[in-house]
Amino acid sequence: MFRRTATATATGTAFAALAAAAALALTASTSATAATAPGFVNGADLPPHPGSPWYAGPVTQGLPESAPFCLDGVLPAQGSWHRTFGTEFDTGALQISVRAASATAAAKLAGALERKVAACAADWLRATPGGTASWADYGKLPVEEGAHVYGVHTSIPESEPGVHLYGIGRDGSTVTVVQWGQMGDLSHAPVADFKKTTTRAVNKLNP
């Protein structure tokens, strides 16, 4: 394991008809998304939480409303789908998958994601005087065209520290990134289980 640490850190008949039409449109949209979206992990694929099950949201076309920590500005909206996960506590997760125009474009995107995550701690420190941050490269995984796992920890005085794990992988022209996060530091990160999550995520991309 290679590690670097830095310091500085939505009455009547008309309404019913309208509701029915909306439900029909939603069903059609959901069916279309299910038919075209890459495969996604389920809650059971994520690192087990000791005090809560995982709750999985729907697979949704496009990017989440807010850019994920460490990944702002690098993921394209076109060809993207996402799914969010939560627990009854502070632990959450997110998967974003992108169908690129070609395998070459997908490889370029995967590389950009890896560089963005690897630089995240240092970039965050420059924008957060008085904070502390660290990151870890947990290595590559031998799945499809490859995957890579990283960890990022950030903390500011008088606030709870946060830790995130990132799994970035590719299968042909499809790229996925899985983000897991909770309060704590790198010592609290379930790295071995998250590597299994990342492997499952890449294996499910093109079912």
Side-chain angles (χ1 to χ4, degrees):
M1 183 184 73
F2 178 77
R3 186 183 298 241
R4 292 182 181 176
T5 302
T7 299
T9 126
T11 321
T13 304
F15 180 80
L18 196 61
L24 183 62
L26 179 60
T27 299
S29 176
T30 300
S31 298
T33 297
T36 59
F40 274 71
V41 296
N42 300 307
D45 298 316
L46 294 167
H49 190 284
S52 171
W54 282 97
Y55 303 101
V59 174
T60 304
Q61 194 163 15
L63 296 173
E65 291 185 8
S66 299
F69 181 61
C70 290
L71 299 177
D72 54 301
V74 67
L75 285 159
Q78 184 174 0
S80 294
W81 288 262
H82 71 275
R83 190 178 203 181
T84 58
F85 304 85
T87 65
E88 295 172 6
F89 297 92
D90 67 308
T91 307
L94 170 69
Q95 182 181 5
I96 299 173
S97 296
V98 183
R99 289 201 193 280
S102 65
T104 299
K108 183 180 295 187
L109 174 59
L113 287 166
E114 291 190 26
R115 290 190 295 273
K116 185 75 170 179
V117 171
C120 181
D123 290 344
W124 184 86
L125 283 174
R126 282 191 286 270
T128 316
T132 60
S134 59
W135 72 282
D137 183 339
Y138 293 115
K140 298 181 179 181
L141 302 175
V143 54
E144 299 299 342
E145 274 69 62
H148 209 135
V149 173
Y150 299 89
V152 177
H153 159 255
T154 58
S155 180
I156 56 177
E158 299 181 3
S159 180
E160 293 288 347
V163 59
H164 292 84
L165 292 175
Y166 298 85
I168 301 162
R170 180 172 70 94
D171 184 0
S173 60
T174 308
V175 177
T176 195
V177 54
V178 184
Q179 178 198 52
W180 169 99
Q182 69 173 31
M183 292 189 294
D185 56 36
L186 291 172
S187 69
H188 301 113
V191 177
D193 284 333
F194 188 76
K195 286 184 176 183
K196 296 176 184 178
T197 297
T198 301
T199 298
R200 291 169 186 157
V202 176
N203 278 329
K204 288 186 174 187
L205 281 178
N206 294 305

